[in-house]
Amino acid sequence: MVRSLSILGSTGSIGTQALEVVRNLGLNVEALAAYRNITRLEEQIREFRPKTVAVFEEKAAADLKTAVSDLSVRVLSGMEGLCEAASLPAADVVLNSVVGMVGLRPTLAAIQAQKNVALANKETLVAGGALVMEAARKNGVKILPVDSEHSAIFQCLQGCPDNKALSRLILTASGGPFFGKTKEELRKVTPEQALKHPNWDMGAKVTIDSATMMNKGLELIEASWLFGMPASRIDVVVHRESIVHSLIEYVDHSIIAQIGLPDMRIPIQYALTWPQRCTSPVGQLDLAKAGTLSFYEPDYETFVCLRACKTAMERGGLAPAAANGANEVAVSLFLQNKIPFLEIGSLVLEAVQRQPDAPAASLKDVLDADRAAREFVHYKTGI
């Protein structure tokens, strides 16, 4: 089990829940990193006493340095600071829960420092899956999934002695706040409506991704890299109750599922304690009270983002990086009320279609594809 860890994205939804797990297990925090929320970060520093902290925004980092000048803590800044926090010698594991492409370089830095990575940053594998998994192989480190769906598959696979016995992976999706809605009904959706998730409490970007089902598309790509499974053998099923977190099917058509209450502290803790299991503050699932569990086919026509991601992974190369880059910009514009909800999916799909076929041979290739997709969205929207 991990003894000391660094947490990137400590002030966000996953990061704050990870610190609850740390508190419960009595683990040591070597480093914390955040984007700019220095008020919450200062509170975390004073409780967990990390030796190093990093703040992505330079001005916020300077303000934090003044605020914690009474403590013996190093304050780093920018991408370089984030990467240094990800590669400190004393940490056993780096938990990466930052949001967006900003998480790719710190993940690679952690791997190069031969740290196991508890990964909650989808974009790392979506855009740079080939680079990350090859680097992990070369450095002999493990990528431990934190997302509830990937953790569920990972947990189910603990009882699988031979991957040749696997037939397919099945990712569950809540369907978000707009399950069953038609395109016509979604034309005038507001950010406030899209941010009302029925089951999970997440950050704004991830919640919008859930509403468009982009989140599930990103998870499909991520699962393909994590578990070495082609996209053609990964299915998505809408499960409104969020009790079944994902499933695996064997060649004999036996299906194994991981189920539990929708609480991220379970997958976070398992990534940190694997292969051991520890007691958890999460409540016990009462199956009788849970009642009926429902499953539905996803609507690929209405929720274009899911279709775009499936297309991107089937094409491979830099297409997933284009999908992710376009989505990050489109979601930001939607949250600012600058584009309509349905335009997010249209922009992502077109960015994938415009991306030339090319391998993700280097970090520069990935970053160039990401930048081109972002520029396309700005050009297409005129914003």
Side-chain angles (χ1 to χ4, degrees):
M1 187 174 79
V2 61
R3 297 177 301 279
S4 180
L5 73 157
S6 298
I7 302 177
L8 313 183
S10 67
T11 61
S13 175
I14 298 296
T16 53
Q17 291 178 87
L19 286 171
E20 288 184 46
V21 172
V22 164
R23 191 183 295 116
N24 186 56
L25 294 177
L27 302 178
N28 177 63
V29 176
E30 187 66 25
L32 296 173
Y35 189 74
R36 63 180 172 209
N37 187 349
I38 59 170
T39 300
R40 179 172 289 177
L41 183 57
E42 182 184 350
E43 293 172 356
Q44 294 173 346
I45 293 168
R46 293 189 180 279
E47 177 179 358
F48 294 97
R49 299 301 173 105
K51 296 183 179 67
T52 302
V53 296
V55 183
F56 192 76
E57 282 196 354
E58 304 276 348
K59 172 66 167 61
D63 291 342
L64 179 68
K65 192 169 187 177
T66 300
V68 297
S69 59
D70 59 312
L71 301 176
S72 57
V73 56
R74 283 196 309 155
V75 179
L76 309 174
S77 64
M79 180 58 74
E80 293 74 18
L82 202 56
C83 289
E84 186 172 343
S87 52
L88 296 172
D92 300 315
V93 169
V94 176
L95 192 156
N96 186 349
S97 63
V98 304
V99 176
M101 269 290 287
V102 70
L104 176 57
R105 288 192 228 185
T107 297
L108 290 171
I111 292 170
Q112 292 299 332
Q114 298 185 323
K115 305 295 177 184
N116 288 339
V117 178
L119 190 62
N121 171 250
K122 292 180 177 64
E123 295 81 2
T124 284
L125 287 182
V126 170
L131 300 176
V132 171
M133 298 310 291
E134 177 60 17
R137 185 191 65 77
K138 284 183 177 179
N139 286 278
V141 305
K142 296 188 180 300
I143 306 297
L144 301 163
V146 170
D147 273 347
S148 61
E149 295 81 1
H150 301 115
S151 176
I153 291 171
F154 181 62
Q155 291 180 59
C156 290
L157 288 173
Q158 299 310 299
C160 177
D162 183 1
N163 276 2
K164 292 179 181 177
L166 279 178
S167 174
R168 62 176 174 147
L169 309 179
I170 306 169
L171 297 172
T172 55
S174 70
F178 304 132
F179 172 71
K181 300 292 185 183
T182 65
K183 280 190 176 181
E184 190 58 39
E185 291 173 308
L186 295 177
R187 290 195 188 281
K188 295 184 179 179
V189 161
T190 66
E192 291 73 25
Q193 292 170 319
L195 286 169
K196 292 179 180 177
H197 195 281
N199 299 333
W200 295 96
D201 180 16
M202 305 175 289
K205 194 265 182 183
V206 178
T207 305
I208 298 302
D209 282 350
S210 179
T212 63
M213 291 200 73
M214 181 71 182
N215 203 40
K216 207 52 51 181
L218 297 176
E219 288 173 7
L220 185 151
I221 296 170
E222 191 179 3
S224 182
W225 287 114
L226 277 170
F227 306 112
M229 188 71 78
S232 60
R233 291 170 59 193
I234 305 174
D235 289 338
V236 174
V237 62
V238 177
H239 168 56
R240 295 296 284 161
E241 296 81 8
S242 296
I243 297 296
V244 178
H245 298 298
S246 277
L247 317 90
I248 64 172
E249 183 181 47
Y250 289 105
V251 292
D252 64 359
H253 297 161
S254 294
I255 292 178
I256 295 179
Q258 187 265 329
I259 68 174
L261 294 174
D263 192 311
M264 283 303 300
R265 289 174 296 177
I266 293 175
I268 291 168
Q269 178 168 295
Y270 191 65
L272 299 181
T273 64
W274 175 86
Q276 298 174 330
R277 288 189 183 270
C278 299
T279 57
S280 164
V282 178
Q284 190 176 45
L285 173 65
D286 186 325
L287 287 171
K289 288 182 179 178
T292 302
L293 302 180
S294 56
F295 301 92
Y296 307 89
E297 287 284 341
D299 182 351
Y300 287 93
E301 292 305 312
T302 300
F303 296 94
V304 178
C305 284
L306 181 55
R307 174 157 49 98
C309 286
K310 199 170 181 70
T311 299
M313 194 58 195
E314 287 169 350
R315 283 184 56 198
L318 295 171
N324 180 71
N327 180 67
E328 286 194 24
V329 176
V331 168
S332 176
L333 294 177
F334 170 68
L335 286 169
Q336 298 171 61
N337 285 297
K338 292 181 177 179
I339 65 170
F341 179 76
L342 289 178
E343 193 169 352
I344 299 174
S346 300
L347 289 166
V348 171
L349 182 59
E350 192 169 350
V352 169
Q353 293 168 337
R354 287 170 55 89
Q355 170 60 47
D357 288 327
S362 68
L363 178 59
K364 181 179 183 302
D365 292 338
V366 172
L367 296 178
D368 285 348
D370 172 76
R371 183 178 62 252
R374 292 168 188 268
E375 290 173 352
F376 160 72
V377 171
H378 286 300
Y379 169 78
K380 184 75 175 182
T381 60
I383 300 171

